[in-house]
């Protein structure tokens, strides 16, 4: 099968490539390429640049900064961004709370929050998961009791990614504990992270990094006007949000970049007296991963070509499933290429070890989460079985 974009789409790809490789500071792109964590300031600078060019929220309604692109345009935009090592716009802002407010928020909320959300003048974090309500999100226990013009919030959230940088949180809370079905008693509130009674504590991850947190709420007073949409309709908004969260989760551009890096690294490593790129097992392994990636890319193009009315093709679950598996396979490949050098990240002195090898193992460990977030792969298999295979 030969893939060929139309002249218009090819021109669009070239425009995206030129912008991402010339307009985003090289320091930011080098940080992403090296696998290092971006600072808060770098995230903000990057999003300011994208938003000024109309490239931060192209999928939003046009009146709030969207571009009315086709799904295929959005696919090309995202892939070229990843290939150029440009950070994606902050997902909590552009894929989660932004679309929710645009769809369900009051006009006051839209005017107050959407412009600074697109520009990352407000950094949002997500308050959904709890210690006993992760996969079963509807079992959440954080409560919001209305007293006059305020809700009084008490409870705990966990796995709040980059919450240490956040200005505001969008939070699911239980407002009707007597509801017949637990999904019907949930509402969504938004409030500042520096509100009295909010305590944030870091969680150290298996890779030794710090990107997630647990948050405690003790008698936090949230104005009633900070309710998103209607009371007890939060589950509807959460499902809408989670659907947006899965956008671009296959990360075809990222996998392409990792495979390209792997092929470059094997040429510089000798094993058994010969370059590693001459080892039959290694060359076969890379070729197999490239073939799997091509199949994923073809599926991605099929999905975006057949998505309609803003609803993804059922095969989007295949993208999430195989995309995250291939991300994990690519990170595992880099660890195996690095071999013993990959352990340098946990040694006291590894200054003579290449940076790519030092981050190979932490990156591999961090990507174990990919098959869980955005709807676990087990759930995606159930969706595929029901909506595609008819089982």
């Amino acid at each position: 099968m030969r893939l060929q974009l139309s002249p218009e789409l090819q021109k669009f790809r070239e425009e995206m490539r030129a912008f991402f490789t010339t307009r985003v500071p090289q320091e930011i792109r080098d940080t992403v390429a090296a696998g290092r964590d971006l600072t808060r300031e770098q995230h903000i600078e990057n999003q300011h640049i994208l938003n000024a060019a109309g490239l931060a929220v192209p999928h939003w309604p046009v009146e709030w900064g969207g571009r009315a692109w086709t799904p295929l345009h959005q696919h090309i935009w995202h892939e070229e961004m990843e290939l150029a090592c440009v950070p994606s716009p902050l997902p909590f802002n552009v894929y989660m709370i932004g679309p929710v407010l645009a769809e369900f928020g009051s006009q006051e909320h839209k005017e107050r929050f959407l412009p600074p959300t697109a520009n990352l003048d407000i950094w949002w974090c997500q308050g959904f998961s709890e210690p006993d309500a992760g996969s079963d999100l509807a079992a959440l226990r954080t409560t919001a009791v209305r007293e006059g013009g305020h809700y009084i919030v008490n409870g705990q959230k966990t796995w709040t990614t980059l919450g240490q940088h956040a200005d505001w949180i969008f939070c699911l809370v239980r407002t009707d504990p007597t509801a017949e079905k637990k999904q019907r008693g949930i509402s969504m509130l938004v409030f500042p992270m520096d509100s009295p009674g909010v305590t944030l504590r870091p969680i150290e991850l298996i890779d030794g990094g710090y990107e997630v947190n647990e948050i405690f709420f003790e008698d936090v007073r949230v104005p009633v006007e900070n309710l998103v949409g209607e009371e007890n309709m939060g589950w509807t908004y959460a499902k809408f949000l989670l659907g947006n969260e899965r956008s671009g989760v296959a990360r075809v551009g990222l996998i392409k970049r990792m495979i390209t890096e792997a092929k470059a690294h094997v040429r510089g490593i000798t094993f058994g007296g010969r370059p590693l790129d001459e080892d039959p097992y290694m060359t076969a392994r890379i070729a197999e991963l490239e073939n799997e990636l091509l199949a994923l890319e073809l599926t991605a193009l099929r999905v975006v070509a057949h998505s309609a009315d803003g609803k993804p093709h059922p095969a989007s679950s295949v993208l999430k499933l195989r995309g995250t598996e291939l991300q994990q396979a690519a990170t595992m490949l880099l660890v195996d290429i690095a071999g013993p050098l990959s352990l340098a990240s946990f040694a006291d002195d590894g200054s003579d070890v290449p940076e790519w090898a030092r981050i190979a193992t932490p990156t591999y460990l961090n990507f174990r989460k990919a098959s869980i977030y955005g709807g676990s792969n087990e759930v995606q298999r159930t969706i595929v079985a029901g909506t595609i295979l008819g089982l």
Side-chain angles (χ1 to χ4, degrees):
M1 178 181 293
R2 294 183 61 190
L3 292 176
Q4 186 172 357
L5 296 176
S6 68
E8 182 270 331
L9 285 173
Q10 184 58 42
K11 180 181 178 182
F12 176 76
R13 181 184 286 279
E14 292 169 359
E15 290 173 352
M16 292 296 100
R17 184 172 300 168
F19 179 90
F20 292 134
T21 56
T22 61
R23 298 284 295 280
V24 176
Q26 190 65 43
E27 180 184 2
I28 292 178
R29 296 175 57 221
D30 288 344
T31 300
V32 173
R36 297 189 295 268
D37 291 334
L38 293 163
T39 65
R40 187 180 195 273
E41 291 70 28
Q42 286 177 315
H43 275 290
I44 293 173
E45 180 183 5
N46 177 70
Q47 193 146 331
H48 281 180
I49 293 170
L50 297 181
N51 194 49
L55 298 178
V57 291
H59 56 291
W60 283 17
V62 172
E63 61 267 34
W64 300 112
R67 298 290 294 271
W69 284 348
T70 67
L72 189 51
H73 282 86
Q74 293 184 41
H75 172 81
I76 294 171
W77 162 78
H78 195 262
E79 182 177 11
E80 289 300 324
M81 187 185 306
E82 291 186 327
L83 289 172
C85 299
V86 171
S88 295
L90 192 71
F92 317 105
N93 285 40
V94 304
Y95 291 117
M96 299 185 192
I97 190 60
V100 168
L101 292 174
E103 181 73 17
F104 303 106
S106 65
Q107 186 65 23
E108 180 184 355
H109 277 178
K110 293 175 184 178
E111 294 174 358
R112 178 184 179 187
F113 292 120
L114 287 181
T117 294
N119 204 45
L120 199 47
D121 295 330
I122 296 177
W123 185 305
W124 292 90
C125 67
Q126 181 180 21
F128 278 26
S129 294
E130 299 183 3
D132 295 317
S135 299
D136 182 15
L137 182 58
L140 64 89
R141 298 179 181 178
T142 297
T143 60
V145 178
R146 183 163 179 174
E147 291 185 3
H150 290 81
Y151 288 100
I152 310 302
V153 178
N154 285 279
Q156 179 185 357
K157 298 293 179 179
T158 193
W159 310 125
T160 306
T161 305
L162 300 181
Q164 69 269 30
H165 298 322
D167 304 303
W168 282 66
I169 185 171
F170 49 95
C171 192
L172 290 182
V173 295
R174 189 164 300 284
T175 43
D176 184 4
T178 66
E180 182 178 352
K181 290 188 176 181
K182 54 189 179 182
Q183 291 89 342
R184 294 180 180 173
I186 295 173
S187 298
M188 182 181 290
L189 298 176
V190 297
F191 51 94
M193 284 291 287
D194 60 0
S195 301
V198 176
T199 301
L200 181 141
R201 297 177 185 171
I203 300 174
E204 184 177 356
L205 296 179
I206 192 173
D207 65 355
Y210 163 36
E211 65 177 11
V212 297
N213 306 267
E214 55 184 346
I215 305 177
F216 299 87
F217 309 114
E218 184 176 357
D219 294 332
V220 180
R221 298 179 64 84
V222 179
V224 169
E225 55 265 29
N226 286 16
L227 172 71
V228 176
E230 301 177 30
E231 190 172 89
N232 298 324
M233 289 294 292
W235 187 250
T236 297
Y237 311 148
K239 289 190 296 182
F240 179 86
L241 181 150
L242 292 170
N244 281 285
E245 182 184 2
R246 296 178 187 128
S247 300
V249 76
R251 305 194 71 179
V252 171
L254 172 65
I255 304 170
K256 282 185 178 180
R257 204 173 75 226
M258 288 195 286
I259 293 176
T260 299
E261 292 172 3
K263 293 167 74 173
H265 296 323
V266 295
R267 290 194 292 269
I269 293 180
T270 301
F271 178 74
R274 62 180 180 179
L276 192 56
D277 65 345
E278 296 180 5
D279 179 76
Y281 171 76
M282 181 58 68
T283 56
R285 184 174 171 187
I286 293 175
E288 181 179 2
L289 187 54
E290 286 183 308
N291 288 335
E292 292 285 351
L293 177 58
L294 177 59
L296 177 69
E297 185 171 18
L298 291 171
T299 303
L301 292 171
R302 187 173 79 237
V303 167
V304 298
H306 293 89
S307 297
D309 300 325
K311 297 180 181 180
H313 189 276
S316 59
S317 287
V318 177
L319 292 182
K320 198 282 174 181
L321 176 62
R322 290 300 293 145
T324 53
E325 289 178 343
L326 293 184
Q327 290 166 39
Q328 293 173 340
T331 60
M332 185 181 296
L333 173 65
L334 288 166
V335 168
D336 290 345
I337 292 172
L341 297 179
S342 66
L343 299 177
S345 57
F346 302 102
D348 293 333
D349 183 15
S351 56
D352 59 339
V353 176
E355 186 172 14
W356 73 267
R358 289 182 62 84
I359 69 168
T361 295
T363 302
Y364 162 80
L365 292 172
N366 187 275
F367 268 79
R368 305 322 293 169
K369 67 187 180 186
S371 50
I372 299 173
Y373 62 60
S376 72
N377 283 8
E378 289 77 11
V379 170
Q380 302 310 312
R381 291 186 177 92
T382 300
I383 293 174
V384 170
T387 62
I388 299 179
L389 303 179
L391 300 178

mmCIF file of all heavy atoms in Angstrom, residues 65-87:
data_model
loop_
_atom_site.group_PDB
_atom_site.id
_atom_site.type_symbol
_atom_site.label_atom_id
_atom_site.label_comp_id
_atom_site.label_asym_id
_atom_site.label_seq_id
_atom_site.Cartn_x
_atom_site.Cartn_y
_atom_site.Cartn_z
ATOM 1 N N GLY A 65 -10.548 29.985 19.615
ATOM 2 C CA GLY A 65 -9.175 29.737 19.182
ATOM 3 C C GLY A 65 -8.992 28.545 18.279
ATOM 4 O O GLY A 65 -7.863 28.256 17.853
ATOM 5 N N GLY A 66 -10.060 27.808 17.981
ATOM 6 C CA GLY A 66 -9.952 26.635 17.128
ATOM 7 C C GLY A 66 -9.721 26.994 15.670
ATOM 8 O O GLY A 66 -9.840 28.155 15.262
ATOM 9 N N ARG A 67 -9.373 25.976 14.868
ATOM 10 C CA ARG A 67 -9.037 26.209 13.457
ATOM 11 C C ARG A 67 -9.992 25.517 12.492
ATOM 12 O O ARG A 67 -9.809 25.628 11.277
ATOM 13 C CB ARG A 67 -7.609 25.713 13.195
ATOM 14 C CG ARG A 67 -6.535 26.432 14.006
ATOM 15 C CD ARG A 67 -6.339 27.857 13.559
ATOM 16 N NE ARG A 67 -5.811 27.932 12.219
ATOM 17 C CZ ARG A 67 -4.507 27.939 11.930
ATOM 18 N NH1 ARG A 67 -3.608 27.906 12.913
ATOM 19 N NH2 ARG A 67 -4.101 28.019 10.686
ATOM 20 N N ALA A 68 -10.975 24.789 12.981
ATOM 21 C CA ALA A 68 -11.921 24.076 12.113
ATOM 22 C C ALA A 68 -11.185 23.127 11.164
ATOM 23 O O ALA A 68 -11.572 22.945 10.009
ATOM 24 C CB ALA A 68 -12.799 25.052 11.337
ATOM 25 N N TRP A 69 -10.127 22.511 11.647
ATOM 26 C CA TRP A 69 -9.374 21.551 10.848
ATOM 27 C C TRP A 69 -10.110 20.230 10.750
ATOM 28 O O TRP A 69 -10.922 19.883 11.606
ATOM 29 C CB TRP A 69 -8.011 21.286 11.488
ATOM 30 C CG TRP A 69 -7.007 22.360 11.307
ATOM 31 C CD1 TRP A 69 -7.065 23.428 10.464
ATOM 32 C CD2 TRP A 69 -5.758 22.461 12.003
ATOM 33 N NE1 TRP A 69 -5.929 24.197 10.586
ATOM 34 C CE2 TRP A 69 -5.113 23.627 11.517
ATOM 35 C CE3 TRP A 69 -5.122 21.696 12.972
ATOM 36 C CZ2 TRP A 69 -3.864 24.028 11.986
ATOM 37 C CZ3 TRP A 69 -3.885 22.094 13.437
ATOM 38 C CH2 TRP A 69 -3.254 23.253 12.948
ATOM 39 N N THR A 70 -9.770 19.465 9.724
ATOM 40 C CA THR A 70 -10.251 18.091 9.642
ATOM 41 C C THR A 70 -9.436 17.234 10.618
ATOM 42 O O THR A 70 -8.334 17.626 11.035
ATOM 43 C CB THR A 70 -10.070 17.532 8.229
ATOM 44 O OG1 THR A 70 -8.662 17.417 7.966
ATOM 45 C CG2 THR A 70 -10.727 18.436 7.191
ATOM 46 N N PRO A 71 -9.949 16.054 10.971
ATOM 47 C CA PRO A 71 -9.145 15.162 11.821
ATOM 48 C C PRO A 71 -7.783 14.839 11.218
ATOM 49 O O PRO A 71 -6.806 14.658 11.942
ATOM 50 C CB PRO A 71 -10.026 13.913 11.933
ATOM 51 C CG PRO A 71 -11.425 14.414 11.783
ATOM 52 C CD PRO A 71 -11.312 15.525 10.759
ATOM 53 N N LEU A 72 -7.691 14.784 9.890
ATOM 54 C CA LEU A 72 -6.409 14.478 9.257
ATOM 55 C C LEU A 72 -5.423 15.634 9.434
ATOM 56 O O LEU A 72 -4.230 15.414 9.669
ATOM 57 C CB LEU A 72 -6.618 14.183 7.775
ATOM 58 C CG LEU A 72 -5.401 13.631 7.014
ATOM 59 C CD1 LEU A 72 -4.802 12.434 7.747
ATOM 60 C CD2 LEU A 72 -5.798 13.253 5.601
ATOM 61 N N HIS A 73 -5.915 16.873 9.354
ATOM 62 C CA HIS A 73 -5.049 18.015 9.636
ATOM 63 C C HIS A 73 -4.515 17.943 11.068
ATOM 64 O O HIS A 73 -3.332 18.195 11.323
ATOM 65 C CB HIS A 73 -5.814 19.329 9.450
ATOM 66 C CG HIS A 73 -5.976 19.748 8.027
ATOM 67 N ND1 HIS A 73 -6.998 19.307 7.233
ATOM 68 C CD2 HIS A 73 -5.231 20.593 7.247
ATOM 69 C CE1 HIS A 73 -6.894 19.848 6.027
ATOM 70 N NE2 HIS A 73 -5.835 20.632 6.000
ATOM 71 N N GLN A 74 -5.402 17.608 12.008
ATOM 72 C CA GLN A 74 -4.982 17.519 13.411
ATOM 73 C C GLN A 74 -3.960 16.406 13.607
ATOM 74 O O GLN A 74 -3.013 16.549 14.381
ATOM 75 C CB GLN A 74 -6.201 17.276 14.300
ATOM 76 C CG GLN A 74 -7.155 18.449 14.349
ATOM 77 C CD GLN A 74 -8.302 18.211 15.305
ATOM 78 O OE1 GLN A 74 -8.112 17.685 16.389
ATOM 79 N NE2 GLN A 74 -9.504 18.596 14.899
ATOM 80 N N HIS A 75 -4.131 15.290 12.893
ATOM 81 C CA HIS A 75 -3.173 14.185 12.977
ATOM 82 C C HIS A 75 -1.790 14.635 12.503
ATOM 83 O O HIS A 75 -0.773 14.363 13.159
ATOM 84 C CB HIS A 75 -3.674 13.010 12.130
ATOM 85 C CG HIS A 75 -2.679 11.899 11.996
ATOM 86 N ND1 HIS A 75 -2.496 10.939 12.974
ATOM 87 C CD2 HIS A 75 -1.798 11.595 10.998
ATOM 88 C CE1 HIS A 75 -1.553 10.083 12.588
ATOM 89 N NE2 HIS A 75 -1.118 10.468 11.408
ATOM 90 N N ILE A 76 -1.739 15.328 11.378
ATOM 91 C CA ILE A 76 -0.463 15.803 10.838
ATOM 92 C C ILE A 76 0.170 16.814 11.782
ATOM 93 O O ILE A 76 1.382 16.777 12.049
ATOM 94 C CB ILE A 76 -0.682 16.417 9.440
ATOM 95 C CG1 ILE A 76 -1.115 15.319 8.457
ATOM 96 C CG2 ILE A 76 0.578 17.125 8.952
ATOM 97 C CD1 ILE A 76 -1.572 15.858 7.115
ATOM 98 N N TRP A 77 -0.637 17.739 12.300
ATOM 99 C CA TRP A 77 -0.161 18.741 13.255
ATOM 100 C C TRP A 77 0.514 18.074 14.453
ATOM 101 O O TRP A 77 1.624 18.442 14.854
ATOM 102 C CB TRP A 77 -1.355 19.592 13.701
ATOM 103 C CG TRP A 77 -1.187 20.383 14.961
ATOM 104 C CD1 TRP A 77 -0.516 21.544 15.117
ATOM 105 C CD2 TRP A 77 -1.752 20.073 16.255
ATOM 106 N NE1 TRP A 77 -0.612 21.985 16.424
ATOM 107 C CE2 TRP A 77 -1.362 21.106 17.141
ATOM 108 C CE3 TRP A 77 -2.552 19.048 16.735
ATOM 109 C CZ2 TRP A 77 -1.749 21.109 18.482
ATOM 110 C CZ3 TRP A 77 -2.933 19.048 18.068
ATOM 111 C CH2 TRP A 77 -2.528 20.076 18.923
ATOM 112 N N HIS A 78 -0.137 17.068 15.008
ATOM 113 C CA HIS A 78 0.390 16.409 16.201
ATOM 114 C C HIS A 78 1.631 15.587 15.885
ATOM 115 O O HIS A 78 2.607 15.586 16.645
ATOM 116 C CB HIS A 78 -0.694 15.523 16.814
ATOM 117 C CG HIS A 78 -0.394 15.092 18.208
ATOM 118 N ND1 HIS A 78 0.152 13.867 18.512
ATOM 119 C CD2 HIS A 78 -0.539 15.735 19.404
ATOM 120 C CE1 HIS A 78 0.313 13.760 19.817
ATOM 121 N NE2 HIS A 78 -0.096 14.878 20.377
ATOM 122 N N GLU A 79 1.625 14.894 14.752
ATOM 123 C CA GLU A 79 2.781 14.067 14.396
ATOM 124 C C GLU A 79 4.016 14.928 14.133
ATOM 125 O O GLU A 79 5.121 14.609 14.606
ATOM 126 C CB GLU A 79 2.471 13.220 13.167
ATOM 127 C CG GLU A 79 3.621 12.294 12.786
ATOM 128 C CD GLU A 79 3.309 11.395 11.605
ATOM 129 O OE1 GLU A 79 2.274 11.620 10.936
ATOM 130 O OE2 GLU A 79 4.105 10.489 11.339
ATOM 131 N N GLU A 80 3.859 16.019 13.393
ATOM 132 C CA GLU A 80 5.002 16.883 13.110
ATOM 133 C C GLU A 80 5.532 17.541 14.387
ATOM 134 O O GLU A 80 6.731 17.764 14.528
ATOM 135 C CB GLU A 80 4.626 17.941 12.076
ATOM 136 C CG GLU A 80 4.441 17.391 10.673
ATOM 137 C CD GLU A 80 5.703 16.726 10.140
ATOM 138 O OE1 GLU A 80 6.818 17.207 10.445
ATOM 139 O OE2 GLU A 80 5.582 15.719 9.417
ATOM 140 N N MET A 81 4.642 17.834 15.314
ATOM 141 C CA MET A 81 5.055 18.397 16.599
ATOM 142 C C MET A 81 5.961 17.411 17.337
ATOM 143 O O MET A 81 7.024 17.787 17.856
ATOM 144 C CB MET A 81 3.812 18.715 17.448
ATOM 145 C CG MET A 81 4.088 19.458 18.741
ATOM 146 S SD MET A 81 2.595 19.650 19.736
ATOM 147 C CE MET A 81 1.487 20.430 18.568
ATOM 148 N N GLU A 82 5.566 16.143 17.370
ATOM 149 C CA GLU A 82 6.366 15.134 18.073
ATOM 150 C C GLU A 82 7.681 14.869 17.346
ATOM 151 O O GLU A 82 8.735 14.711 17.987
ATOM 152 C CB GLU A 82 5.565 13.850 18.211
ATOM 153 C CG GLU A 82 4.397 13.966 19.171
ATOM 154 C CD GLU A 82 3.705 12.642 19.418
ATOM 155 O OE1 GLU A 82 3.654 11.801 18.497
ATOM 156 O OE2 GLU A 82 3.209 12.440 20.539
ATOM 157 N N LEU A 83 7.653 14.816 16.022
ATOM 158 C CA LEU A 83 8.882 14.570 15.270
ATOM 159 C C LEU A 83 9.899 15.685 15.467
ATOM 160 O O LEU A 83 11.104 15.448 15.443
ATOM 161 C CB LEU A 83 8.552 14.420 13.784
ATOM 162 C CG LEU A 83 7.825 13.134 13.374
ATOM 163 C CD1 LEU A 83 7.391 13.202 11.914
ATOM 164 C CD2 LEU A 83 8.708 11.911 13.611
ATOM 165 N N ALA A 84 9.411 16.912 15.683
ATOM 166 C CA ALA A 84 10.299 18.057 15.878
ATOM 167 C C ALA A 84 10.728 18.233 17.331
ATOM 168 O O ALA A 84 11.427 19.196 17.655
ATOM 169 C CB ALA A 84 9.609 19.334 15.389
ATOM 170 N N CYS A 85 10.326 17.309 18.204
ATOM 171 C CA CYS A 85 10.656 17.391 19.636
ATOM 172 C C CYS A 85 10.086 18.651 20.270
ATOM 173 O O CYS A 85 10.703 19.259 21.151
ATOM 174 C CB CYS A 85 12.167 17.336 19.860
ATOM 175 S SG CYS A 85 12.941 15.812 19.292
ATOM 176 N N VAL A 86 8.905 19.043 19.818
ATOM 177 C CA VAL A 86 8.205 20.175 20.414
ATOM 178 C C VAL A 86 7.213 19.641 21.438
ATOM 179 O O VAL A 86 6.455 18.715 21.143
ATOM 180 C CB VAL A 86 7.460 20.990 19.333
ATOM 181 C CG1 VAL A 86 6.554 22.040 19.959
ATOM 182 C CG2 VAL A 86 8.470 21.647 18.391
ATOM 183 N N PRO A 87 7.198 20.180 22.654
ATOM 184 C CA PRO A 87 6.239 19.691 23.659
ATOM 185 C C PRO A 87 4.803 19.915 23.203
ATOM 186 O O PRO A 87 4.476 20.969 22.641
ATOM 187 C CB PRO A 87 6.554 20.545 24.901
ATOM 188 C CG PRO A 87 7.893 21.157 24.637
ATOM 189 C CD PRO A 87 8.028 21.282 23.158
#
